[in-house]
Amino acid sequence: MRYRAGIYDVIVIGAGHAGSEAALASARMGCKTLLLTINLDTIAFMPCNPSIGGPAKGIVVREIDALGGQMGYNTDLTYLQMRLLNTGKGPAVQALRAQSDKASYGRLMKQTLENEPNLTLKQGMVEEILTAGDRASGVRTNTGAEYEGRAIVLTTGTYLRGRIIIGDVSYQSGPNGQLPALKLTDSLIDLGFSLVRFKTGTPPRVNRNTIRFEHLSVQPGDEEPLQFSFRDDIEKREQLNCYLTYTSAATHEIIGENLHRAPMFSGDIEGRGPRYCPSIEDKVVRFKERPSHQVFLEPEGRDTAEWYVQGMSTSLPEDVQVRMLRSIKGLEEVEMLRPGYAIEYDAMVPTQLDLTLETKVIKGLYTAGQINGTSGYEEAAGQGLMAGINAALSVLGREPLILDRSEAYIGVMIDDLVTKGTTEPYRLLTSRAEYRLLLRHDNADARLMEKGYRIGLLPLQRYERFLRKQALIHQEKDRLNKTKVQPDDVHALFTGLSVDQPKVTQSLAQLLRRPEVNYGKIHDLRPSEVELSDEVTSQVEIDLKYEGYVKRQEAEIERQKKLEKKELPVGISFASIRGLSNEAKERLSAIRPRNIGQASRVEGVTPADISVLLIYMESSNKQEVANG
Amino acid sequence: MAQQDPIAAIATALGEASIAVVRVSGEHSFSIVDRIFEGSSRLSETPSHRILYGHLVTLEQRKRIDEVIVLTFRSPKSYTTEDVVEIHCHGGVQAVQSILLEVLRAGARLAEPGEFTKRAFLGGRIDLSQAEGVMEAIGAKTPLALQAALSQVEGALHQHVETLRHTLIQTMAHLEVTIDYPEHDEEEMTVQRVRNDAQFVLEQIRSLRFEAERGRILREGVKIAIVGKPNVGKSSLLNRFARTNRAIVTEIPGTTRDVIEERIQIDGIPLLLFDTAGVRETEDVVEQIGVQKSRETLEKADLILLLLDTSRPLDENDESLLESVDGDRSLLIMNKRDLPFANGVDWQELAMNRRSLAYSTRVEADHDRLEQEIKRMVFGSERADPTFLANARHLSLLERAEAAIKRVLDDANSGVTLDLVAVDLHEAWMLLGEMIGETPREDLLDQIFSQFCLGK
């Protein structure tokens, strides 16, 4: 029975990490927003790793926070453990990683959504996207409810025609036994979209009371944990330990003997899985020479004995999984609580999207998260936030927000997805960013808070805190540049170090740029008159120490911007440009890049094709001038 | 119609193929090829659109390089509208490169990217509205690169650069794994490995630059400055050089501020000889200008011939020259050895301290030794033809890539963090990519437009 259930500005489908951010952003920007989820009990659920952050991903969480999103703050309020990774490798690649309390995180996100004015949260399974012409106009659920909306954000995760595979057993399912969305795929195909089948997986969970911890190495959290969110009101939390163990020769033997039962090898799985997050059977086959692989044991929450076995993602049969686990040191008598599994799902070919995450074919329809071919909570949240922001901006009749590759990892990710597409679940890596030195986790606020505030998402009070912090950083850098010290003054700093002593008068800033000097030493030498937080002083230190490198990257960005500024004409017909390779014609016609820079990143487009494009533009400009 | 200076390039793709073509265009194209072509008749006496059979030989030794057929196109009925000669030889890398080198030695210069097309445009054979045709030329002829009609001699350079980029990308990949997977037991990227790889790449870039430098010398000539006090014998030395090379001495009008005194060749290597006034301090204003100019000439010279008169004691002028002229780049010529050696100077010690040669213009064997010594100094101990010819853009990119790799090494040695080391690795990789057209640049394309005269 169909019925008219309500009218909204923005309708978000799915309340995972993408959907939650999308709905909050849209509501906070003043749009009447509806969030529909298959199950209200699994909001912001983490079906895989109980962790948020890590290289690149941790930086995304800070970017989300800087724009006014929720993931960072809710993680800060619920984490089990916090660690700063890559501390020895320089600030550009350092990243926070939190061990999450799955249940608390999901509960807190549900509360956040429930308490958000302008936001309605409902349980319901969407089966059809409704359209009027080439515009999305609403959705219909399995119970017949029809909601009207001016913009729709689709975040289906792994629910679209989800199928779980454990060895030779398989069944239709969403993640972790949830109901799958079986009918929505047809609606998307009817609208003209191309879909692909992707696969991901998760390891088994075990009971902590059956783990022998005595001989395992402890992985504690940081003594002085940092936080994701740029705020003052976050309290330090008591932290839990993780543990490290290794697979054994016996483990590899068990896997080898049972490979024929692994669906990845028997051909029972058609979906493409991620190379960077391989299953244990994959690792054993691909890296035969390795005698063992790392296995991390991680708690899933404070109020549960369920632990996660990181590194053991598998779709081998249940009985093999138990034997595999018990061949690992510390897990000799472990009780497996749930088996690992592989899950296949439908995803959209992301090159069907614009940089705003709006689909090119259906106006007003946005997609975010795993449906766009990504994997990872942070990647999903980052896209959800941007889709929510752009859906709201379009409803409000304002200019879209597109983050450049030089501004944010989120920008890198979205540009990669819509320009290059992806043939496997996409994960952010720091190496995907060409301007990594600028996209640091420490300066996410400086990169993005202005934008967050301008679009009306970041509250004034947080923006003002940011401005105060920037002022302090500016003042302190100024002081360090202006304060000069004599060689004699700094003598003490270098005693015992096998480095050349400064021989001339230097500013404190120059001194700080030396590898062996840190801000602490500068402070001991000539302290600031104002008291400065670590947040401020570490920013001052990084800014000064890396100035030279940052300037070089900025010069590179300027150069690249020249390509990005060469806008391709809107109606350009790539097929009719002589000299372009056939592959380039095909790919460019499909992707329809906005400018030369984006065109140069399209797969299959060679530098020679780009020169042909540039000459084409140049000569058509000439003709216009000549004709005009 | 007025024709431009003769240019040459390999017009076919380098690699295994049944034939390859070297194209020569411009004034004197026919007579240039005549100098190295042995066939039934001379090109200069052949009408347009004819095919001649014969052999291509080396300019000096007249050694046969390959069996060829030569096509004649007289102005204006040719691709560039100038006199054009096409030399069709056997395919593969060796023959066609040797032929190009001989054509260059015989008087043509290596074509700039797009230069044939540019001349076609200037000659009115292509007009602006046919820009699409130009595009096709680029797309079809050099799918690899942004550069139109890029000389295929660069095939070898391309390969060298590709190898280096491959090493760099592997180093970068290892480094990225340690950064992106801090918790996993991926092969740990030690600073040591970055250091080793960077050291390897640095050495390779240096040898590439050395090769490129030799290529430049073959194209532009070795700049040799002759310096010494008045009456030390500079003019006779110049004359001596000119005498053996009378047949090919040409007067080059001063296009730069330097006036080339003589342009000669030794075994096909072009040498540009410059006379310098000397570099002593002086109060005289006019002389000061001369001195300043000499300094500049000395700085730019690939090789300096420093003359001393062994029949006279050393004076202030000699002393100041010995002090100021760089020992690595110079050859001390102890001139007038046919006369008695002046007393009061330890000539032997002087000769031991730097590269030197006892010399007299009157002794035939001395001049031969001098020419051999110059060759050795320019090309190292063994004379080998360069495997590629690089242009100024390549050289500047190589220099910048070398600087980036040096920073990688310095940083890796002084404990700078990996995220910063990665920046310079990446920069070196990008710069090398730019050399072979794998890194798109907006302004590089502008360069092409300016060559086509479309971009103004």
Side-chain angles (χ1 to χ4, degrees), chain B residues 29-267:
Chain B
S29 298
F30 281 47
S31 54
I32 285 170
V33 179
D34 265 337
R35 299 181 65 191
I36 49 172
F37 175 67
E38 289 177 351
S40 44
S41 51
R42 292 177 58 78
L43 297 177
S44 317
E45 292 148 16
T46 308
S48 189
H49 293 74
R50 290 290 189 278
I51 298 171
L52 299 181
Y53 166 82
H55 289 88
L56 229 288
V57 299
T58 60
L59 183 63
E60 301 283 318
Q61 269 96 27
R62 314 303 292 174
K63 273 193 296 197
R64 284 188 174 184
I65 301 172
D66 198 8
E67 192 182 18
V68 298
I69 55 168
V70 175
L71 277 60
T72 60
F73 304 88
R74 288 195 179 268
S75 174
K77 293 166 81 177
S78 73
Y79 175 61
T80 59
T81 72
E82 301 177 322
D83 282 345
V84 169
V85 179
E86 282 185 13
I87 305 168
H88 292 228
C89 64
H90 288 103
V93 180
Q94 208 52 49
V96 70
Q97 289 202 348
S98 304
I99 289 173
L100 177 61
L101 274 173
E102 291 309 318
V103 171
L104 299 182
R105 282 175 182 158
R109 71 169 168 80
L110 186 63
E112 294 292 319
E115 202 167 6
F116 288 99
T117 313
K118 176 187 172 188
R119 290 185 178 193
F121 170 69
L122 290 174
R125 207 172 161 280
I126 298 176
D127 64 30
L128 266 180
S129 68
Q130 284 173 313
E132 280 182 338
V134 176
M135 273 180 253
E136 263 189 354
I138 293 173
K141 283 185 192 150
T142 62
L144 272 177
L146 303 169
Q147 304 189 27
L150 181 68
S151 160
Q152 295 296 338
V153 185
E154 292 179 3
L157 176 62
H158 191 277
Q159 232 168 28
H160 282 301
V161 172
E162 276 289 275
T163 312
L164 293 186
R165 291 189 96 214
H166 185 71
T167 306
L168 285 178
I169 201 114
Q170 294 217 315
T171 318
M172 279 152 62
H174 279 267
L175 197 145
E176 298 303 339
V177 166
T178 22
I179 287 170
D180 274 324
Y181 296 89
E183 295 179 318
H184 285 71
D185 53 345
E186 296 297 332
E187 189 185 333
E188 188 69 12
M189 179 69 192
T190 56
V191 175
Q192 188 55 42
R193 159 144 193 171
V194 175
R195 224 184 267 145
N196 291 346
D197 286 357
Q199 189 62 46
F200 168 78
V201 171
L202 184 64
E203 280 158 20
Q204 294 290 309
I205 290 182
R206 281 183 177 153
S207 86
L208 272 183
R209 279 189 60 195
F210 180 70
E211 286 264 302
E213 193 55 30
R214 295 201 312 190
R216 180 189 68 76
I217 282 171
L218 271 191
R219 199 165 68 247
E220 297 173 3
V222 186
K223 295 194 191 88
I224 300 182
I226 300 178
V227 64
K229 66 183 172 190
N231 292 324
V232 75
K234 285 179 288 181
S235 313
S236 6
L237 181 63
L238 269 171
N239 287 336
R240 182 65 193 74
F241 272 118
R243 187 148 53 90
T244 43
N245 291 279
R246 195 162 304 282
I248 44 172
V249 169
T250 48
E251 284 305 317
I252 305 293
T255 45
T256 63
R257 290 177 50 207
D258 302 303
V259 177
I260 301 169
E261 303 287 336
E262 295 287 352
R263 184 185 175 94
I264 62 161
Q265 293 196 2
I266 299 177
D267 283 4

Side-chain angles (χ1 to χ4, degrees), chain A residues 86 89-92 276 294 296 429-431 436-437 546 549 552 559 566 578 607-608 611 614-615 622, chain B residues 135 138 143 146 176 178-181 183-185 411 419-420 422 424 427 434 437 441-442 445 449 454:
Chain A
N86 276 339
K89 292 177 193 134
Y276 47 78
Q294 284 184 323
F296 290 93
L429 302 166
T430 70
S431 47
R436 185 160 66 190
L437 232 45
Y546 296 94
Y549 291 89
R552 293 223 313 274
R559 221 185 66 172
K566 286 209 181 275
R578 289 163 69 195
S611 50
L614 278 163
I615 295 174
K622 288 262 177 278
Chain B
M135 273 180 253
I138 293 173
L146 303 169
E176 298 303 339
T178 22
I179 287 170
D180 274 324
Y181 296 89
E183 295 179 318
H184 285 71
D185 53 345
D411 284 358
D419 52 344
L420 299 181
D424 283 316
E427 186 170 320
E434 215 175 290
R441 278 199 68 140
E442 185 247 15
L445 297 158
F449 288 127
L454 295 171

Side-chain angles (χ1 to χ4, degrees), chain A residues 298-336:
Chain A
E298 303 172 346
E300 292 223 332
R302 286 181 201 277
D303 49 7
T304 174
E306 191 167 353
W307 276 47
Y308 181 88
V309 189
Q310 191 202 317
M312 292 293 286
S313 172
T314 181
S315 55
L316 281 164
E318 199 170 287
D319 57 307
V320 182
Q321 293 192 24
V322 176
R323 283 167 55 208
M324 250 161 51
L325 288 174
R326 290 187 178 165
S327 68
I328 294 170
K329 192 171 135 192
L331 302 183
E332 294 84 352
E333 291 171 21
V334 84
E335 269 314 319
M336 185 171 84

Side-chain angles (χ1 to χ4, degrees), chain A residues 100-175:
Chain A
S100 276
D101 188 316
K102 281 188 176 180
S104 306
Y105 185 86
R107 250 191 332 267
L108 180 61
M109 191 60 90
K110 189 180 182 208
Q111 283 165 16
T112 312
L113 293 165
E114 285 167 343
N115 294 327
E116 187 63 41
N118 258 345
L119 178 61
T120 309
L121 182 60
K122 282 182 191 291
Q123 184 163 304
M125 187 189 296
V126 170
E127 289 190 342
E128 193 183 348
I129 306 290
L130 306 174
T131 53
D134 67 349
R135 280 206 69 87
S137 61
V139 300
R140 187 177 51 75
T141 69
N142 59 341
T143 52
E146 288 189 356
Y147 297 97
E148 258 179 68
R150 296 165 66 190
I152 316 284
V153 181
L154 194 55
T155 72
T156 52
T158 60
Y159 285 78
L160 268 190
R161 288 206 309 131
R163 173 170 164 261
I164 280 182
I165 305 110
I166 305 169
D168 34 24
V169 178
S170 79
Y171 50 92
Q172 290 188 324
S173 173

